[in-house]
């Protein structure tokens, strides 16, 4: 008799249910929803609010005097706002639901919600821009369901990727752009990121080092000493490394020293540690050097010979580890220096605010010389501080009222540690950064981006990129720009953008 038969039957039944479920998910692939018309026409106040939230200063979007002298003869909407105009808006007390006639993805999302895949994150977006959108345009969109993936196991949870394509038109019926969009619908609590953070590993210990770690548990830093010659040494050994004596003892160290050198660990990331992880070589006042983590300081503030002092990390009330940080007076110096930098920045900001509008426009106009742009040219590295205000304000500016972008409890209930930046903001920030580099002379053709590690409050995302292709066609130059945005945990956004530039645009400015 086959005892495994019931188990085999259960598996077959489970597989059959999964197949039926997947068939129901994919039954709408290829279907097109009805045309959805935006509730409101494109307007300058909405454009300006978006620009304010994204720190976008392109005068084509916000300066009527500048824009009217351009080829557009007036204000245009940032291309990165393409998706914004047909967003559903805020529906307090009742989550807005599209039906399958409006949007073929709506039925898929409902099936996934009912099956427990209630978490959602956008993962990819590819925008193509055909026509600039202007105030007064009434934008409409029509969505097509392109694909639903089989069940996937990802870092944030088990789920299905859903891919759609939306084409956008203005009130004259002219297509202004298109968007291919992919989201992951996942089961909260099923991903690796939901696993509890591991405790710091306990240091390896033996008969020669037990006394050192016992002293650390008592928050005392001790150094091995030789009874015969007085030599001090670290790490502990079974004999004196100077005279060979096995008669060894220890002395208490002051816990003060200087930073001799350091390394910053970024990858691979061990869950028990916070990154970037500063590993320093500390030269104690006693002349001995030991390796320890350096804390309470930003990596860019580290300096050779910086005065340090020991402090202690208690790990789950089981053991204690030594760490070092800048001495109190050194921390005060750093705080004073940072305060001065902030004050100078504030004064500079006030000074900039007092400049005339003409001067501001002059600063915003690109000095990029199309003839001199070469493949391999790097865009300026740009750090972006991710704050709660930035995440919430940009979500509102993009008309994205999903609770995971403003409500920490809602985000946590769906498998995230905190609120996180939406993909429309990632698109807007990357676009603004490229605009800052190239200026208003460029014309956007497309941007294709992929999201990875989420941006949460207190993150810093650093943008970098370079020109990877340059194609000349008559008076136009096409530039392909590859970009990357990384935070401390990994890559948040990566992708490519294509912009067009007139060969004589610099002279026309």
């Amino acid at each position: 008799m086959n005892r495994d038969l019931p188990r085999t039957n259960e598996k077959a039944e489970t597989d059959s249910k999964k197949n039926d479920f997947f068939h129901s998910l994919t039954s709408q692939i290829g279907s097109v929803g009805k045309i959805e018309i935006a509730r409101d026409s494109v307007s300058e106040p909405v454009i300006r609010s978006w620009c304010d939230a994204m720190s976008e200063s392109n005068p084509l979007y916000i300066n009527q005097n500048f824009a009217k002298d351009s080829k557009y003869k007036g204000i245009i909407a940032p291309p990165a706002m393409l998706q914004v105009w047909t967003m559903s808006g805020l529906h307090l007390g009742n989550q807005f639901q599209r039906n399958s006639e409006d949007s073929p993805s709506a039925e898929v999302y409902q099936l996934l919600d009912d099956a427990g895949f209630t978490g959602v994150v956008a993962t990819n977006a590819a925008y193509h821009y055909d026509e600039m959108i202007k105030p007064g345009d009434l934008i409409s969109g029509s969505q097509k369901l392109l694909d639903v993936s089989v069940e996937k196991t990802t870092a944030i949870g088990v789920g299905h990727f859903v891919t759609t394509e939306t084409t956008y038109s203005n009130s004259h019926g002219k297509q202004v752009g298109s968007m291919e969009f992919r989201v992951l619908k996942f089961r909260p609590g099923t991903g690796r990121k939901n696993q509890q953070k591991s405790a710091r590993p306990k240091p390896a210990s033996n008969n020669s080092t037990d006394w050192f770690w016992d002293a650390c548990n008592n928050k005392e830093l001790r150094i091995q000493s030789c009874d015969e010659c007085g030599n001090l040494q670290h790490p502990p050994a079974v004999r004196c490394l100077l005279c060979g004596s096995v008669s060894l003892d220890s002395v208490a160290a002051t816990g003060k020293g200087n930073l001799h050198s350091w390394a910053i660990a970024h990858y691979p990331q061990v869950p028990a540690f916070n990154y970037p992880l500063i590993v320093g070589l500390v030269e104690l006042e006693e002349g001995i050097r030991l390796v320890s983590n350096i804390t309470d300081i930003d990596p860019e503030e580290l300096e050779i010979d910086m005065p340090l002092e020991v402090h202690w990390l208690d790990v789950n009330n089981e053991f204690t580890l030594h760490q070092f940080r800048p001495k109190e007076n050194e921390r005060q110096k750093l705080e004073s220096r940072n305060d001065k930098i902030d004050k100078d920045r504030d004064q500079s900001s006030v000074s900039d605010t007092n400049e005339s509008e003409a001067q501001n426009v002059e600063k915003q106009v690109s000095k990029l010389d199309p003839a001199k742009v070469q493949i391999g040219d790097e865009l300026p590295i740009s750090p972006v501080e991710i704050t709660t205000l930035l995440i919430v304000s940009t979500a509102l500016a993009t008309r994205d009222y999903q609770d995971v972008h403003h409500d920490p409890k809602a985000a946590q209930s769906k498998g995230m540690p905190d609120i996180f930046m939406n993909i429309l903001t990632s698109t807007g920030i990357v676009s603004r950064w490229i605009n800052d580099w190239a200026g208003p002379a460029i014309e956007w053709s497309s941007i294709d981006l992929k999201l990875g590690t989420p941006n949460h409050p207190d993150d810093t995302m650093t943008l970098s990129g370079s020109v990877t292709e340059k194609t000349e066609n008559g008076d136009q130059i096409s530039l392909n720009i590859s970009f990357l945005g990384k935070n401390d945990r990994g890559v948040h956004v990566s992708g490519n953008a294509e912009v067009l530039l007139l060969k004589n645009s610099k002279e026309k400015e």
Side-chain angles (χ1 to χ4, degrees), residues 82-83 109 122-130 142-148 161-168 175 177-183 423-424 427 446-451:
L82 177 65
Q83 187 182 357
Y109 291 159
T123 62
N124 302 74
Y127 301 91
H128 184 83
Y129 309 117
D130 300 303
S142 177
Q143 186 191 86
K144 179 179 181 179
L145 182 63
L146 296 183
D147 186 52
V148 181
F161 290 94
V162 182
T163 307
T164 59
E165 181 184 50
T166 304
T167 55
Y168 298 93
Q175 183 169 315
S178 62
M179 172 189 69
E180 187 171 307
F181 199 69
R182 180 174 297 138
V183 302
I423 195 169
L424 285 82
T427 307
S446 65
I447 184 169
D448 186 348
L449 46 83
K450 176 182 179 181
L451 293 192

Side-chain angles (χ1 to χ4, degrees), residues 354-503:
N354 291 333
E355 290 181 354
S356 68
E357 182 176 311
Q359 288 174 317
N360 280 330
V361 171
E362 178 64 25
K363 287 172 63 178
Q364 293 160 356
V365 174
S366 170
K367 301 302 180 185
L368 188 67
D369 187 343
K372 294 182 179 179
V373 178
Q374 300 296 326
I375 294 175
D377 285 354
E378 294 185 353
L379 277 68
I381 292 176
S382 177
V384 180
E385 299 297 326
I386 310 300
T387 64
T388 298
L389 177 61
L390 178 65
I391 293 173
V392 175
S393 63
T394 52
L396 296 179
T398 56
R399 294 180 170 180
D400 185 350
Y401 302 102
Q402 290 279 344
D403 51 13
V404 292
H405 303 309
H406 62 259
D407 185 343
K409 289 184 178 179
Q412 290 162 8
S413 72
K414 295 177 181 176
M416 290 293 187
D418 202 345
I419 63 171
F420 57 95
M421 180 178 286
N422 72 356
I423 195 169
L424 285 82
T425 299
S426 303
T427 307
I429 288 177
V430 170
S431 299
R432 183 261 297 166
W433 169 62
I434 293 175
N435 278 336
D436 287 346
W437 169 71
I442 65 169
E443 182 175 318
W444 279 86
S445 179
S446 65
I447 184 169
D448 186 348
L449 46 83
K450 176 182 179 181
L451 293 192
T453 303
N455 272 340
H456 295 296
D458 298 325
D459 281 339
T460 297
M461 177 178 67
T462 301
L463 292 168
S464 61
S466 63
V467 178
T468 54
E469 292 182 27
K470 179 181 179 181
T471 306
E472 298 188 19
N473 184 13
D475 287 339
Q476 271 192 336
I477 294 175
S478 172
L479 300 178
N480 189 286
I481 299 164
S482 177
F483 57 83
L484 195 68
K486 298 173 66 175
N487 59 34
D488 288 342
R489 296 180 309 282
V491 175
H492 168 70
V493 63
S494 59
N496 295 277
E498 183 183 2
V499 297
L500 304 176
L501 195 61
L502 289 176
K503 286 184 179 180

Side-chain angles (χ1 to χ4, degrees), residues 159-335:
H160 295 264
F161 290 94
V162 182
T163 307
T164 59
E165 181 184 50
T166 304
T167 55
Y168 298 93
S169 302
N170 60 23
S171 48
H172 304 292
K174 192 169 186 178
Q175 183 169 315
V176 294
S178 62
M179 172 189 69
E180 187 171 307
F181 199 69
R182 180 174 297 138
V183 302
L184 172 66
K185 290 283 290 177
F186 64 96
R187 282 197 179 104
T190 59
R192 293 189 299 274
K193 290 184 179 180
N194 293 285
Q195 296 174 356
Q196 189 173 5
K197 186 173 181 178
S198 304
R200 285 286 186 99
K202 190 173 183 178
S205 183
N206 54 42
N207 291 336
S208 299
T209 60
D210 285 344
W211 62 268
F212 177 81
W213 297 114
D214 288 343
C216 287
N217 290 336
N218 292 321
K219 298 185 178 179
E220 184 180 14
L221 189 64
R222 299 192 69 85
I223 305 171
Q224 192 173 54
S225 61
C226 176
D227 288 336
E228 295 292 333
C229 68
N231 178 50
L232 300 180
Q233 60 188 27
H234 186 85
V238 295
R239 61 182 177 83
C240 176
L241 300 180
L242 186 61
C243 72
S245 172
V246 294
S247 180
L248 302 172
D249 201 349
S250 66
V251 296
T254 63
K256 298 176 181 178
N258 295 84
L259 183 60
H260 182 76
S261 65
W262 72 87
I264 300 175
H266 295 277
Y267 303 100
Q269 294 190 354
V270 179
F273 295 86
N274 296 319
Y275 291 84
L277 181 66
I278 305 173
V279 182
L281 183 60
V282 181
E283 183 162 338
L284 299 176
E285 289 183 339
E286 292 77 13
I288 296 300
R289 295 174 184 170
L290 82 163
V291 176
S292 186
N293 290 142
I294 311 299
T295 67
D296 298 3
I297 187 172
D298 292 330
E300 58 269 20
E301 294 177 331
L302 294 169
E303 295 178 356
I304 296 292
D305 288 333
M306 172 180 283
L308 301 173
E309 62 185 6
V310 72
H311 70 113
W312 304 96
L313 175 67
D314 291 318
V315 182
N316 296 339
N317 294 320
E318 294 180 8
F319 58 93
T320 302
L321 299 174
H322 59 76
Q323 297 186 316
F324 281 79
R325 63 188 176 194
K327 290 179 65 175
E328 181 64 32
N329 61 341
E330 190 68 19
R331 292 203 300 274
Q332 291 173 353
K333 287 181 184 178
L334 289 172
E335 290 172 1

